[in-house]
Amino acid sequence: MKQFIEGSHAVAEIIKLCRPGVVSAYPITPQTHIVEDLALMVANKELNAQFVNVESEHSAASVVLGGESTGVRSYTATSSQGLLLMAEVVFNIAGLRLPLVMTTANRAISAPINIWNDQQDVMTVRDSGWVLLFAETNQEAVDLHVQAYKLAEDKRVMLPVMVNMDGFILTHGMEVLDMPSQKEVDKFLPPYKTTYKLDVENPLTMGYLADPDYYLEIRYMVQDTHKQLLDIIPQVADDFKKAFKRGEGNGLVEGYKIEDADQVFVAMGSVCGSIRDVVDDLRAKGKKAGLLKVISYRPFPKACVASALARAKEVAVIDKSISLGAFGPLYTDVMVAVSSLGSEMPKMSGFVLGLGGRDITKRSIMDTYERLFGKQVDCEFIGLKQELLVEDK
Amino acid sequence: MVETLFKPGHTACAGCGQAIAARLVIDAAGKNTMVANGTGCLEVFSTKYPESSWGVPWIHSLFENCSAVASGVEAGLKYLGKKDSINVIAQAGDGGTADIGLQAISGMFERGHDVLYVCYDNEAYMNTGVQRSGLTPTLSNTTTSPSGSASLGNPRPKKPMPEIAAAHGIPYVATASVGYPQDIQRKVKKALSIKGPKYIQIHVPCPLGWRHESRMTFDVAKLAVETGLYPIFEYDNGKLIPRKITAIKPVEEYLKYQGRFKHLMKDPEAIKEMQAIADNNIKKYGLSATV
């Protein structure tokens, strides 16, 4: 059903339709509207779940870890410092192979404290083993949550999935979107059934100590599952398209006017919407620009990215986070992907935009485009106010 | 062989008080029990992949979060409609409880989860090599509170963890000692018969960390109680019920068997300080059978 709805409300609604039995969260801007809505749904018996109000994000993640370990579908959401406080548990959940789903309302990291959007928070748990998906719109956020549970609970996967949506831009943005019915979601996402759970009839030990004789293989198996996910994610995305009659791309990446593009932007999340506008403007001027949107950041779809960029002459990778002292994380990954193209490798430029909620305007995206033809850059900040960079004398 | 839910073959040290107490606890709780275990000696010596001592569903996540994990397990069981027939136990050592785990425990108590929390108190971070914790007793020599020319060891009193638990208004708080196995099992059974959060703190000698002979575990545990240095009591819905001591012994009787207190034995002032702690416990908790 078409609805004009705030992103957070839409996420809460789709989570309700996914029927989690345990929900736990600690409030942090801009995640709050999602969990407030879920709490109200539980209070009104619209959602049959245990809602556990905790004293920290560390405990929020630990509670849903515990819930999931009893074989009950569970959910949490966080942002920014909350995700960092959770980080230890986030890694642990993946290592325990618990198929949890979490929403991250992406936000900047302190200091200085800043509640506005960028994607630095998720990068701190980039290496945790979670599947990391990025939504461009609230429709996509809704759709990715349903696919997230489907993926996580797939017996071939059994790994947690995080749906990333840009804080405020998406979480507090109103959008007309198509909300599926309970019947449609139930059909796509059957109840979670597993034998990998705490059960007095079949007492398992979960969370062993693994010494050097075993640890390497156990970690390798997570990496191997991510490799298989490169096939499984497109299958699930395809099933979703068939069931819900919508969805672009193959679940891993989506191209926009990329087939004949000479200059390609690569980006993740809501900024892709603005980039589409810039691409259209450039096309109107006869410039062959295009966009490659990365939906699945982990697993990183190396082959898809390489083939999508194979015919480009110049590539602008737009990062909304930075590995300080090095480069934007997306830039680094895209570089590895295109290195397989050898001498056909396009000229690769890396840009950092929008940290701490600085507006990414069409003008700033055009800035990156114009710089593609000059000296190659690998970590160029766009939109710096030079007057603020003068040191005190 | 005795039927037990905590199988032998684990790698605990000889004379480990925690291994004995953990077996007493789980056997008292029975097979319809799920355990969330914090990181520490117990987790390490009982679940080295691919082997496990545990005959009940058991999960280890991290150091400080066993009470939050147990809260989630309880919530999952409630959702499944199974909570009434299954016990949930969260358990960890003294560091995992009184230091790094305190916030999560407080949250679990405040939210009223139907979980029994068991703290195995061996009075220091033994798994990492005998570093001081918040439950390390006064003047104890640990690797991070060593005695030296300017120090007598740990300068601070033991954190009153049972009082902190009781201050949450939870229905049942108890201390116990591995020196009194029947008392541990009675308290576990009593705790599990009560709905809501429960806290039991069990004194478990560590021969390695306390530097006593491994055959002395039970004797040392009993002496801690008999001197008044480790008061045994219950708060049953807030009402104090002490375990009385019939013949109170001087603190030297307990201290003299342990390397961690060796530096005090020729220091009458230090012994006096330790005796004052015991005397205060005896008065505060009404431990004397003759008064």
Side-chain angles (χ1 to χ4, degrees):
Chain A
M1 198 179 70
K2 294 274 185 201
Q3 291 181 26
F4 183 56
I5 186 171
E6 188 192 280
S8 298
H9 298 317
V11 169
E13 186 65 27
I14 196 65
I15 291 302
K16 181 186 88 178
L17 298 177
C18 292
R19 301 183 188 275
V22 175
V23 177
S24 181
Y26 186 82
I28 181 166
T29 303
Q31 148 266 34
T32 42
H33 290 186
I34 300 172
V35 296
E36 287 167 2
D37 265 22
L38 287 166
L40 189 61
M41 289 167 183
V42 172
N44 287 330
K45 280 193 175 173
E46 291 166 41
L47 171 61
N48 172 28
Q50 296 289 315
F51 190 96
V52 185
N53 278 302
V54 283
E55 79 299 334
S56 73
E57 284 89 355
H58 198 283
S59 284
S62 302
V63 165
V64 290
L65 182 162
E68 197 75 49
S69 75
T70 62
V72 173
R73 186 176 288 158
S74 302
Y75 173 79
T76 188
T78 192
S79 180
S80 183
Q81 307 304 127
L83 186 63
L84 267 64
L85 185 56
M86 270 187 192
E88 189 192 20
V89 194
V90 166
F91 276 74
N92 195 247
I93 289 165
L96 284 167
R97 306 300 296 249
L98 292 171
L100 193 73
V101 169
M102 164 157 74
T103 310
T104 298
N106 300 113
R107 171 185 144 181
I109 293 299
S110 184
I113 189 165
N114 174 300
I115 62 167
W116 293 273
N117 166 248
D118 65 31
Q119 295 169 347
Q120 193 71 55
D121 51 7
V122 55
M123 292 304 161
T124 63
V125 295
R126 181 189 66 176
D127 308 330
S128 61
W130 282 58
V131 175
L132 304 176
L133 306 177
F134 283 76
E136 176 187 351
T137 63
N138 285 330
Q139 180 73 68
E140 195 173 22
V142 164
D143 297 350
L144 286 178
H145 279 94
V146 185
Q147 294 172 66
Y149 276 114
K150 185 89 169 175
L151 281 168
E153 295 168 3
D154 189 309
K155 292 286 170 282
R156 298 167 293 176
V157 179
M158 289 301 280
L159 280 176
V161 180
M162 182 190 299
V163 178
N164 289 276
M165 56 194 295
D166 287 312
F168 291 114
I169 299 169
L170 292 183
T171 57
H172 290 52
M174 302 284 288
E175 186 180 312
V176 176
L177 55 82
D178 200 350
M179 186 63 67
S181 68
Q182 183 69 68
K183 208 173 138 193
E184 288 173 308
V185 174
D186 284 347
K187 197 172 166 208
F188 186 79
L189 186 67
Y192 174 45
K193 287 208 164 60
T194 183
T195 54
Y196 177 65
K197 63 179 175 183
L198 300 177
D199 179 0
V200 290
E201 301 304 324
N202 178 33
L204 292 183
T205 287
M206 297 167 86
Y208 283 90
L209 166 82
D211 71 8
D213 286 338
Y214 293 99
Y215 186 87
L216 186 66
E217 286 73 19
I218 293 168
R219 299 304 281 178
Y220 170 80
M221 284 191 268
V222 178
Q223 174 73 356
D224 190 57
T225 300
H226 271 266
K227 237 185 265 174
Q228 293 177 46
L229 272 159
L230 293 171
D231 294 324
I232 297 169
I233 291 173
Q235 288 164 21
V236 169
D238 198 47
D239 291 346
F240 184 88
K241 262 185 225 176
K242 284 180 189 139
F244 295 87
K245 311 279 183 277
R246 64 170 175 272
E248 300 294 328
N250 66 354
L252 299 167
V253 298
E254 179 191 338
Y256 179 68
K257 299 189 177 172
I258 197 174
E259 289 73 19
D260 65 339
D262 291 330
Q263 289 82 36
V264 178
F265 297 95
V266 183
M268 301 193 293
S270 63
V271 71
C272 293
S274 310
I275 295 173
R276 284 173 202 266
D277 276 359
V278 172
V279 166
D280 289 347
D281 292 351
L282 287 164
R283 288 274 172 175
K285 289 179 202 156
K287 312 283 186 194
K288 287 182 168 179
L291 162 69
L292 178 68
K293 175 173 94 175
V294 175
I295 304 168
S296 170
Y297 183 55
R298 289 292 180 271
F300 189 73
K302 189 176 86 172
C304 285
V305 169
S307 68
L309 299 178
R311 74 164 304 287
K313 295 193 176 82
E314 289 90 16
V315 170
V317 181
I318 309 291
D319 268 287
K320 291 176 76 171
S321 64
I322 180 168
S323 173
L324 290 168
F327 315 98
L330 182 61
Y331 179 73
T332 313
D333 292 327
V334 174
M335 282 296 279
V336 172
V338 296
S339 68
S340 64
L341 299 171
S343 58
E344 302 297 303
M345 187 171 154
K347 182 179 173 187
M348 301 293 299
S349 301
F351 302 96
V352 174
L353 283 83
L355 299 189
R358 179 69 57 85
D359 263 350
I360 302 180
T361 61
K362 282 164 74 173
R363 180 61 247 165
S364 51
I365 295 163
M366 271 307 293
D367 261 10
T368 68
Y369 176 80
E370 283 154 13
R371 287 180 205 215
L372 293 180
F373 308 102
K375 187 168 161 278
Q376 187 184 10
V377 292
D378 51 25
C379 187
E380 191 77 354
F381 278 59
I382 299 296
L384 286 178
K385 295 176 183 168
Q386 291 303 326
E387 68 273 22
L388 295 182
L389 299 176
V390 179
E391 282 182 41
D392 288 340
K393 293 266 156 53
Chain B
M1 196 193 280
V2 183
E3 268 299 303
T4 176
L5 295 165
F6 187 70
K7 304 282 188 291
H10 56 69
T11 57
C13 307
C16 170
Q18 188 181 25
I20 301 163
R23 178 168 57 75
L24 292 165
V25 168
I26 197 60
D27 284 341
K31 70 178 181 59
N32 286 331
T33 304
M34 294 183 177
V35 177
N37 210 126
T39 304
C41 285
L42 175 57
E43 163 264 323
V44 168
F45 70 64
S46 67
T47 63
K48 188 168 163 296
Y49 188 83
E51 292 170 338
S52 171
S53 287
W54 296 93
V56 294
W58 182 98
I59 185 168
H60 159 248
S61 169
L62 297 162
F63 198 177
E64 68 275 53
N65 69 346
C66 70
S67 35
V69 172
S71 300
V73 169
E74 183 243 31
L77 292 174
K78 267 191 184 162
Y79 173 77
L80 295 168
K82 291 182 177 171
K83 180 63 203 76
D84 288 343
S85 59
I86 296 172
N87 306 311
V88 180
I89 292 178
Q91 58 183 18
D94 48 287
T97 300
D99 292 344
I100 200 167
L102 186 59
Q103 174 178 319
I105 292 170
S106 179
M108 184 190 87
F109 287 163
E110 170 269 314
R111 292 189 299 269
H113 291 279
D114 188 20
V115 173
L116 167 60
Y117 191 100
V118 180
C119 168
Y120 298 97
D121 180 12
N122 58 20
E123 305 195 312
Y125 290 93
M126 299 316 187
N127 192 40
T128 44
V130 202
Q131 292 83 17
R132 176 203 183 273
S133 84
L135 293 192
T136 296
T138 313
L139 303 188
S140 178
N141 187 342
T142 73
T143 55
T144 53
S145 63
S147 61
S149 59
S151 174
L152 280 174
N154 178 37
R156 298 292 303 156
K158 203 173 163 74
K159 190 187 281 195
M161 192 56 212
E163 307 294 340
I164 292 168
H168 287 78
I170 64 175
Y172 187 72
V173 172
T175 61
S177 163
V178 78
Y180 302 89
Q182 293 89 346
D183 186 57
I184 291 176
Q185 295 206 312
R186 179 184 68 81
K187 284 171 175 165
V188 168
K189 283 178 181 159
K190 182 172 174 182
L192 291 173
S193 74
I194 301 166
K195 270 229 175 314
K198 287 83 61 173
Y199 179 79
I200 300 180
Q201 180 173 306
I202 308 174
H203 200 221
V204 287
C206 169
L208 194 77
W210 296 10
R211 284 176 278 143
H212 65 72
E213 289 183 56
S214 52
R215 65 181 173 85
M216 292 290 290
T217 298
F218 279 96
D219 302 286
V220 166
K222 280 186 173 162
L223 285 165
V225 175
E226 288 164 351
T227 53
L229 279 173
Y230 209 91
I232 302 297
F233 57 86
E234 294 165 275
Y235 282 122
D236 191 340
N237 271 311
K239 186 174 172 279
L240 175 66
I241 308 168
R243 182 188 173 91
K244 301 276 187 185
I245 311 167
T246 42
I248 295 170
K249 294 181 176 164
V251 293
E252 292 99 314
E253 290 300 309
Y254 170 62
L255 303 177
K256 69 181 182 190
Y257 292 108
Q258 303 175 61
R260 63 175 176 159
F261 295 119
K262 193 178 168 195
H263 60 294
L264 307 180
M265 299 315 289
K266 284 177 193 158
D267 186 337
E269 284 306 308
I271 296 294
K272 224 190 258 177
E273 191 180 337
M274 296 302 282
Q275 188 60 55
I277 293 169
D279 292 346
N280 185 55
N281 284 338
I282 291 160
K283 200 173 148 200
K284 181 176 176 185
Y285 294 104
L287 300 177
S288 173
T290 55
V291 179

